[in-house]
Amino acid sequence: MGADGGLIKPMQARWESYLVKAEEEAPKMKEQAEQTKNKTQNSMNSAITGSTRRTNIGR
């Protein structure tokens, strides 16, 4: 802390800018997480389907 609280306002401005940026980035991060989740689920489904096909070939 600066003398007489002189660093409070600059830190307040810095934290406010961090929060604004976080609010702007949150929807993008949520979308990326959803896309990653979907890709993972698709890969797992493909792997399961592929292993089922391989086991049913000889029957």
Side-chain angles (χ1 to χ4, degrees), residues 34-52:
E34 191 66 31
Q35 289 174 353
T36 300
K37 179 182 169 185
N38 291 338
K39 287 179 184 178
T40 302
Q41 287 176 341
N42 290 340
S43 294
M44 291 177 67
N45 289 339
S46 294
I48 291 169
T49 304
S51 65
T52 303

Side-chain angles (χ1 to χ4, degrees), residues 2-18:
D4 296 325
L7 293 178
I8 292 174
K9 287 292 181 185
M11 283 304 297
Q12 180 180 0
R14 185 176 294 171
W15 277 105
E16 287 175 359
S17 71
Y18 292 155

